[in-house]
Amino acid sequence: MSSPVEKGMLKCEEDPQVSKRAVSSVSGKELGLPEVSYDFRGDRFWRKIPGWGEVTAAEFGDYAWQQRNSVTSLSQVGKVLGPLLTDPLAKDIEAGLERTPMNLRMTPYIFSLIDWENAVDDPIRKQFLPLGSQFLDDHPCYMDDSLDEDGHKATPYLIHRYPDKVLFLPITLCPVYCSYCTRSRVVGGSTAVKSKSTYGAKTGEWESTFQYLRDHSEVEDVVISGGDAFLLRPEQIKEIGMTLLDIPHIRRIRFATKGIAIMPMKILTDEKWMAALELVSQTGRERMKEVCIHTHFSTEGEMTSWTLLAMQELVNRGITVRNQSVLIRGVNNEFEVMYRTIKKLAYLNIQPYYIYVHDMVPGCEHLRTTVAEACELSKRLQGTIAGFNTPRVVCDAPGGGGKREVSSFESYDRELGISTWSAPSVRGDQKFYYYDPIDQLTEAGQKFWADQNGLEERLAAMKSETR
Ligand SMILES: *Cc1c(COP(=O)(O)O)cnc(C)c1O
Ligand code: SF4
């Protein structure tokens, strides 16, 4: 089979206009809705990076090249950026890497979409490359395992929190590492502040998980995440997919991967991986079961002509794709940004499914937003696009309450930034609490948290009041 490059699909090198779309303005201008341009860049943007100035579109478009040239250390950042890496920025990155629980890993694709002249404020840089100067102290109530996943382990690889759906984590490696990862306690390798027991995909160890699923006929939905399904080998995609499809009560499976957002080339050039996915998807269809991909775009800046081609490929193969974003301060927490992101996702046949309020994990205080802000965003997004493309803004209730519609809190003390949640169909009458980032509170609220004296007792008193 000839590659898309040979087939002439990747024309961006010869003709930067190839996949430009006309700028369309949406109605509702008078309501303040921003204009959206369905213009997916097809230029050779990576050539602005000194280290990749000579890289051809064929090389850049090869997923193996992307993997081989991923940036995983400050010295590699320096090597590819050359003079674009200023001394202060290098020092700031070094300080960031000393505080983050996440490893550094970026594909050349996502790395070269950063505006390096303006790296400090760049929304893509903020997701993957932490700067020491931007860190804030963790909230006193942060949790390593914000969603209490370890407390809901049915097998070493399976989280069973909800009655009819489960989360299978066959791998804890990803093709990139996000500073805001909710599973920072296990995903990627150890860092200066966090040692972890990361694991790669080990086929031989999944049988007890499969057996658990065979034995639990109430389970209808399986999310295959991690880590990232992009790093499962084709035979592992097949093994997991076919084994799950063989279990009669399992009706829907999703492979979760950030891949489409950070390395769309794999969809276009990893024939074996795509063939495995297509086989599972086709088998699912024959059995009237759903097999789809859940991906993870944060902003429109991650969508290019490569994304367009990758999505055309997935659409051609009949594979449904949905998106789950995390709400990240300074990245996508403004209505205009999220609105444009959602419109462009929908254009690409990617259904915006969830927007998560940032979990209470460490090293992320500067990236979190308040519940109030998430509620406002949810309100404004409603009605701007088809209902099935309207993302549900949810708070995954810390401590294991599961995903809750953000406006469905039981009570909310905005001054202290404490919201109370319940999850009657997941955890009965147990209460859960989410805490807004302290620097976003009023002065009085900030004072409450700054005073360490009897903080625990004061919190306990508040919690018993809200019962
Ligand atoms: C998110 C999640 C699921 C899937 O939930 P959906 O709302 O169907 O996307 C299943 N199990 C766990 C533990 C989860 O966190
Ligand atoms: S891709 Fe997902 S699992 Fe991997 S680091 Fe990012 S958020 Fe975490």
Side-chain angles (χ1 to χ4, degrees), residues 21-38:
R21 291 290 191 272
V23 174
S24 95
S25 52
V26 287
S27 59
K29 232 182 189 170
E30 55 293 354
L31 294 169
L33 294 186
E35 282 194 19
V36 182
S37 137
Y38 296 119

Side-chain angles (χ1 to χ4, degrees), residues 184-257:
S184 59
R185 71 189 188 285
V186 287
V187 166
S190 300
T191 72
V193 295
K194 181 75 199 160
S195 69
K196 27 186 139 165
S197 40
T198 304
Y199 53 86
K202 291 193 206 94
T203 316
E205 293 189 9
W206 299 336
E207 184 47 35
S208 64
T209 299
F210 295 145
Q211 194 52 47
Y212 178 90
L213 291 172
R214 289 184 199 105
D215 293 342
H216 285 75
S217 60
E218 71 275 22
V219 176
E220 299 182 0
D221 255 277
V222 182
V223 181
I224 301 136
S225 185
D228 196 298
F230 244 39
L231 295 189
L232 293 171
R233 292 195 301 274
E235 58 276 18
Q236 294 170 329
I237 294 278
K238 258 187 257 175
E239 181 184 345
I240 294 174
M242 297 310 233
T243 306
L244 295 179
L245 289 176
D246 279 345
I247 302 175
H249 50 266
I250 290 179
R251 308 301 304 170
R252 294 165 293 273
I253 67 178
R254 330 168 198 169
F255 288 99
T257 174

Side-chain angles (χ1 to χ4, degrees), residues 5-280:
V5 178
E6 285 153 3
K7 279 185 277 186
M9 285 169 68
L10 294 175
K11 291 218 187 78
C12 50
E13 181 135 53
E14 303 91 71
D15 179 6
Q17 298 300 318
V18 66
S19 48
K20 296 239 160 158
R21 291 290 191 272
V23 174
S24 95
S25 52
V26 287
S27 59
K29 232 182 189 170
E30 55 293 354
L31 294 169
L33 294 186
E35 282 194 19
V36 182
S37 137
Y38 296 119
D39 177 6
F40 296 94
R41 63 188 300 185
D43 61 328
R44 289 172 288 172
F45 53 86
W46 63 92
R47 292 198 164 187
K48 282 197 307 239
I49 305 294
W52 298 324
E54 308 290 318
V55 173
T56 65
E59 285 173 302
F60 194 75
D62 174 4
Y63 84 98
W65 186 90
Q66 289 282 330
Q67 278 181 339
R68 264 199 318 278
N69 288 281
S70 288
V71 174
T72 59
S73 68
L74 177 54
S75 72
Q76 286 174 345
V77 173
K79 225 184 251 168
V80 291
L81 281 186
L84 281 180
L85 182 65
T86 60
D87 255 3
L89 184 60
K91 287 216 170 69
D92 214 353
I93 294 172
E94 192 175 9
L97 294 177
E98 268 161 29
R99 289 187 70 168
T100 177
M102 293 304 289
N103 278 173
L104 176 56
R105 177 176 284 277
M106 300 176 77
T107 56
Y109 173 79
I110 204 74
F111 189 93
S112 37
L113 286 171
I114 292 173
D115 174 7
W116 285 101
E117 313 264 342
N118 232 319
V120 171
D121 296 320
D122 188 90
I124 295 180
R125 196 280 307 154
K126 284 181 186 171
Q127 296 175 57
F128 304 102
L129 191 62
L131 298 183
S133 61
Q134 297 186 338
F135 272 81
L136 296 171
D137 288 339
D138 284 327
H139 194 286
C141 302
Y142 88 86
M143 295 174 226
D144 263 336
D145 182 10
S146 176
L147 310 179
D148 192 21
E149 291 184 332
D150 294 339
H152 288 84
K153 272 192 174 164
T155 77
Y157 298 106
L158 195 77
I159 320 286
H160 192 175
R161 180 197 321 292
Y162 300 96
D164 83 336
K165 52 188 181 185
V166 296
L167 177 60
F168 178 28
L169 306 173
I171 184 169
T172 60
L173 303 172
C174 303
V176 293
Y177 290 116
C178 315
S179 301
Y180 53 91
C181 181
T182 188
R183 247 163 248 133
S184 59
R185 71 189 188 285
V186 287
V187 166
S190 300
T191 72
V193 295
K194 181 75 199 160
S195 69
K196 27 186 139 165
S197 40
T198 304
Y199 53 86
K202 291 193 206 94
T203 316
E205 293 189 9
W206 299 336
E207 184 47 35
S208 64
T209 299
F210 295 145
Q211 194 52 47
Y212 178 90
L213 291 172
R214 289 184 199 105
D215 293 342
H216 285 75
S217 60
E218 71 275 22
V219 176
E220 299 182 0
D221 255 277
V222 182
V223 181
I224 301 136
S225 185
D228 196 298
F230 244 39
L231 295 189
L232 293 171
R233 292 195 301 274
E235 58 276 18
Q236 294 170 329
I237 294 278
K238 258 187 257 175
E239 181 184 345
I240 294 174
M242 297 310 233
T243 306
L244 295 179
L245 289 176
D246 279 345
I247 302 175
H249 50 266
I250 290 179
R251 308 301 304 170
R252 294 165 293 273
I253 67 178
R254 330 168 198 169
F255 288 99
T257 174
K258 189 162 175 69
I260 304 170
I262 52 87
M263 203 208 296
M265 294 81 188
K266 187 170 173 96
I267 305 294
L268 297 164
T269 55
D270 192 345
E271 300 276 351
K272 285 188 181 142
W273 192 86
M274 284 299 286
L277 183 67
E278 189 172 13
L279 174 76
V280 176

